[in-house]
Amino acid sequence: MNIHKHSLTYSVSAAILVIAFSLGIYFAGFRNSAWNYLSYVFYIGIIVFGALNWRKNGKDGFMSYGQAMGYTTFFALYYSIIMAIWAYVFMSYIMDPAIMDAEFAKQAAKMREQGLPEESIKMGIDFGKKFASPPVMAVLALFGGMFFLTIFNLIISAFVKKDKPEVFGTPEQQQQFPPLG
């Protein structure tokens, strides 16, 4: 069984679930809410299920921490690539540009309350608009996703690993004194 094919299968499943959930949140009008963080629960659930399945079927029931980290890293890479493409598509074709304009208007109002000059506000908003473009957001989704998912994967790998038991002695001695338990 190929680790790349296995992790790609599960990462595509996770991405489809998260994209569907995100679209539901978007069209329900729950923007900038805690609902968006629920997508990490889906990610964690599917990656744990995928890693346990890989351990059982691909690694004969045993997987070291390093092997678990390798699997989860491939999973996160494929997932992050899919989500970066999704971020580009979403921002280019689905998201209403008026939403971003409203966010920038809120930021400009906050800057005015702080007493910043109009020239500084305009420069800050223009700079923000450059970073909120679909290509830049896709790149940020890729690298930001890999960063945060690596942190998750460090923790997840500790839970899904299962080391092989150490066997001591020659085969003859093992037959004479079988392991306890």
Side-chain angles (χ1 to χ4, degrees), residues 6 10 43-55 71 160:
H6 192 275
Y10 281 90
Y43 172 85
I44 291 169
I46 292 176
I47 195 167
V48 166
F49 183 75
L52 290 174
N53 184 283
W54 175 248
R55 182 182 80 187
Y71 177 86
V160 299

Side-chain angles (χ1 to χ4, degrees), residues 63-95:
M63 184 165 55
S64 70
Y65 182 80
Q67 291 168 331
M69 196 58 206
Y71 177 86
T72 58
T73 299
F74 285 128
F75 186 104
L77 176 64
Y78 298 137
Y79 177 84
S80 295
I81 290 170
I82 294 167
M83 295 311 288
I85 293 167
W86 168 246
Y88 181 83
V89 169
F90 180 78
M91 291 191 71
S92 297
Y93 303 108
I94 298 172
M95 189 174 87

